[in-house]
Amino acid sequence: MKLSKRDLLKGSLATVASLGSVGPALAKNCDKGIPWDKEVDVLVIGYGGAGASAAIAAKDNGSNVLIVEKMSEPGGNTSVSSGQVLATKDKEKTKVYISNLFKYSRCELDPKLLDAYVEGLTHTLDWMKSLEDNSDLMVKQYAAFPFVEGAESMIYGGFHGASTGGPRLMQAYRNAVEKKRNIEVWLNSPAKRLLMTPENGVIGAEIEKDGKKLNVKAKRGVIITTGGYEYDDETKTNFNLGSPMYALGCPGNTGDGLRMVSEAGAGLWHMSGLSCPLGIKIPGHTACQAFRPRNQIGYILVDQLGRRFADEKRIEHHIGILSVNHYEGYSLNYPRIPCYAIFDQTGKERGSFAPSYGSGWLRHREKWNWSRSNDPEIQAGIVKTAPSIEELAKLINVPAENLSATVKKWNDDLSSPDGIDKEFGRIGAGEKPNAAPLQKGPFYALTIYPTLLNTQGGPRHNEKAQVLNSFKEPIKHLYVAGELGSFWGFIYQGCGNNAESLIFGHIAGENAAKETPWS
């Protein structure tokens, strides 16, 4: 039997569907007589930064636009991010820098997407300023990996204002969408699936609003900006190493967009790509607390056998998972998930073990912040405490003799003439020490897990933000922007997703608005 290209595509989609919760192999095909409950030029699914940027660009290019959002409040991960947006002061150096990040990570880099992304970085600060009248930005230099060639070209911008971080950025987006352009928004309205015909590709979507399923016709294009799958355990298990893996961002990111585009025939890429710091599970809350003790020098990380495994001060925040997702084939487990951060009383007196910074769903939406004293966290059992290292080891189920030996070696190294940690090179002496002994009881332990800011994987797309099928051909009238099918692999430059949402949202909205209406 001779197989057609269409047959091969169906088969490949069935295989993809079997890997995780990405839905069945066929989209919902429609006949020409389908009843429409709403008609627009461009339908944007998801109202975070990428959805807002896409809607703005589509509206400014003459389209009638509708944004639908599953949550009761817009914002997604944008609204709980740092609020900073990546930019560049030298395009060519930035291309070198980002290319090197892909080279070192062995992730797939699309040169045309790189060109589009870097070109977009030259406009991000101006686009941000255009969201509000008389807005002012704070601009700083920032490269997550300053030793990589081209790093000196990287900068970021953020809004000044009393409301800091992601809420401030999303406030500006909402001003541009709702006040300046009066774009229609449906909240509490999840998209259930895309609607397609063989001739026209994607023609709209089925949206659930007020308990009813409505067919929304999109004459020019549908733009998916629903974020990743941080809260979908099945998809995480099938595509990513490391378990358990929790989340820091928006609980609405449950893989809806991934399922919809998979039904439509999208090819997937960057599924191993994650922005995943280390963090702490907080009882009674949905999101986790990031573990980023910048001002603490007296702590170590140990695995489940009480062994250190990394230079704790050189774990880059966004790729923290790479330090712990080691799997031991003999013992058949992840010995570093969870791992444990060990402090002493001197560390407690220095301040927060896990200070709350300017991002995260826990801080901005659940209104929970880590205390400076650490006492509420100790009382809640989030931090374990004991008068000795041996007793602390029993509380966290770590071999006491191993943990005692690890702490003794740490203390001995730091008290030696050079004051240098012999395992990983942390320095306990000089003008800028980044290590201190663990000697003064009581002692403290935090249980540490990989905790996702966001996933990067999803539909492959081109420089026009068109979703591509498994043969790298555009799916008619279907676009994507933001963290779903991100440009980034698993080595990620901080503030890069906010920039990506702005850049490819703009590209998607502009190109969708220029589509010839289907008939």
Side-chain angles (χ1 to χ4, degrees):
M1 182 179 75
K2 185 176 179 181
L3 291 175
S4 69
K5 190 174 181 180
R6 185 180 181 87
D7 294 327
L8 289 169
L9 178 58
K10 288 181 180 179
S12 69
L13 290 173
T15 301
V16 167
S18 71
L19 293 176
S21 59
V22 292
L26 295 176
K28 184 172 182 180
N29 284 300
C30 311
D31 58 36
K32 293 183 179 179
I34 182 173
W36 296 107
D37 301 291
K38 176 78 174 178
E39 182 176 315
V40 293
D41 292 317
V42 175
L43 172 64
V44 178
I45 300 175
Y47 189 10
S53 179
I56 290 166
K59 179 74 172 182
D60 289 352
N61 279 273
S63 281
N64 176 29
V65 183
L66 169 67
I67 305 175
V68 297
E69 165 59 46
K70 72 184 281 189
M71 304 291 280
S72 60
E73 201 176 334
N77 274 352
T78 300
S79 65
V80 297
S81 70
S82 68
Q84 315 296 345
V85 178
L86 198 65
T88 179
K89 57 184 182 181
D90 187 312
K91 282 200 299 185
E92 294 309 312
K93 287 184 178 180
T94 293
K95 283 185 184 180
V96 171
Y97 174 73
I98 294 176
S99 295
N100 278 325
L101 296 186
F102 279 83
K103 180 178 74 174
Y104 296 143
S105 64
R106 279 75 170 176
C107 285
E108 182 182 2
L109 173 63
D110 183 325
K112 291 183 178 180
L113 281 185
L114 175 63
D115 288 345
Y117 184 78
V118 174
E119 177 60 34
L121 290 178
T122 68
H123 302 292
T124 51
L125 301 185
D126 288 335
W127 285 341
M128 287 179 73
K129 290 177 183 177
S130 72
L131 298 175
E132 295 180 332
D133 296 330
N134 304 314
S135 61
D136 184 28
L137 298 183
M138 170 188 65
V139 180
K140 292 185 178 181
Q141 188 156 340
Y142 169 55
F145 306 93
F147 56 88
V148 173
E149 184 182 358
E152 68 275 13
S153 66
M154 306 308 301
I155 57 176
Y156 70 74
F159 287 104
H160 291 285
S163 178
T164 59
R168 179 69 181 86
L169 176 58
M170 197 61 208
Q171 175 188 322
Y173 274 127
R174 293 191 69 177
N175 176 73
V177 168
E178 298 167 34
K179 295 181 180 179
K180 293 179 75 172
R181 291 168 179 80
N182 198 31
I183 295 172
E184 186 176 6
V185 177
W186 292 357
L187 299 177
N188 293 308
S189 301
K192 309 307 287 186
R193 62 198 313 167
L194 297 174
L195 304 176
M196 301 184 71
T197 65
E199 318 86 59
N200 296 307
V202 175
I203 60 172
E206 183 181 272
I207 310 298
E208 187 176 284
K209 185 176 189 292
D210 299 327
K212 298 179 181 179
K213 289 184 178 179
L214 306 178
N215 294 327
V216 177
K217 179 180 182 180
K219 295 184 293 182
R220 297 180 186 271
V222 173
I223 305 173
I224 311 276
T225 65
T226 53
Y229 56 89
E230 299 93 275
Y231 288 86
D232 182 357
D233 288 338
E234 184 181 350
T235 305
K236 285 189 294 186
T237 298
N238 278 292
F239 285 109
N240 306 112
L241 293 177
S243 179
M245 190 186 301
Y246 298 114
L248 299 165
C250 176
N253 288 5
T254 55
D256 305 335
L258 184 60
R259 283 182 284 276
M260 284 188 281
V261 298
S262 295
E263 284 189 310
L268 305 183
W269 78 331
H270 290 169
M271 294 305 294
S272 64
L274 305 171
S275 176
C276 188
L278 301 179
I280 303 146
K281 194 84 176 78
I282 306 299
H285 292 270
T286 301
C288 291
Q289 169 69 27
F291 179 67
R292 200 178 187 185
R294 288 174 174 171
N295 298 323
Q296 287 278 5
I297 61 173
Y299 73 94
I300 58 174
L301 292 177
V302 299
D303 65 12
Q304 293 157 26
L305 291 177
R307 309 168 298 193
R308 287 179 68 214
F309 54 86
D311 177 344
E312 296 87 351
K313 301 302 286 186
R314 296 184 68 185
I315 296 174
E316 203 284 323
H317 180 63
H318 298 93
I319 56 173
I321 189 172
L322 298 182
S323 65
V324 299
N325 70 349
H326 166 68
Y327 188 82
E328 286 193 356
Y330 180 75
S331 58
L332 302 180
N333 77 323
Y334 290 98
R336 304 172 189 170
I337 303 178
C339 61
Y340 304 94
I342 309 297
F343 293 81
D344 72 351
Q345 180 63 19
T346 302
K348 180 180 183 295
E349 291 167 1
R350 285 192 182 100
S352 295
F353 292 148
S356 298
Y357 290 103
S359 63
W361 190 267
L362 185 68
R363 177 188 178 186
H364 288 303
R365 296 298 180 88
E366 299 188 70
K367 305 301 181 184
W368 191 95
N369 286 285
W370 196 286
S371 71
R372 190 185 187 286
S373 69
N374 301 296
D375 289 327
E377 293 76 21
I378 294 168
Q379 293 166 10
I382 299 166
V383 179
K384 305 296 183 185
T385 183
S388 70
I389 288 293
E390 292 77 12
E391 291 171 280
L392 186 68
K394 292 177 183 178
L395 288 178
I396 59 176
N397 199 30
V398 165
E401 64 277 12
N402 289 4
L403 185 58
S404 296
T406 295
V407 172
K408 182 179 185 303
K409 184 177 189 315
W410 170 258
N411 290 339
D412 288 348
D413 285 351
L414 297 186
S415 63
S416 66
D418 60 9
I420 295 177
D421 154 38
K422 301 302 187 293
E423 280 196 274
F424 297 105
R426 286 176 64 186
I427 301 170
E431 293 183 5
K432 294 183 178 180
N434 67 2
L438 297 169
Q439 295 174 324
K440 183 180 178 181
F443 298 90
Y444 304 91
L446 287 67
T447 304
I448 307 293
Y449 295 94
T451 49
L452 286 157
L453 280 170
N454 60 276
T455 59
Q456 310 285 19
R460 185 186 292 272
H461 64 88
N462 62 17
E463 69 277 11
K464 296 179 180 179
Q466 295 171 300
V467 175
L468 305 179
N469 66 22
S470 298
F471 297 99
K472 300 184 181 179
E473 302 164 335
I475 297 173
K476 292 180 181 179
H477 303 288
L478 183 60
Y479 294 82
V480 69
E483 293 165 356
L484 179 63
S486 171
F487 161 79
W488 293 98
F490 72 77
I491 292 186
Y492 165 74
Q493 162 65 41
C495 308
N497 280 132
N498 274 342
E500 178 173 37
S501 295
L502 185 55
I503 293 164
F504 284 105
H506 183 92
I507 291 171
E510 183 174 345
N511 285 320
K514 292 177 180 178
E515 289 264 20
T516 301
W518 59 268
S519 60

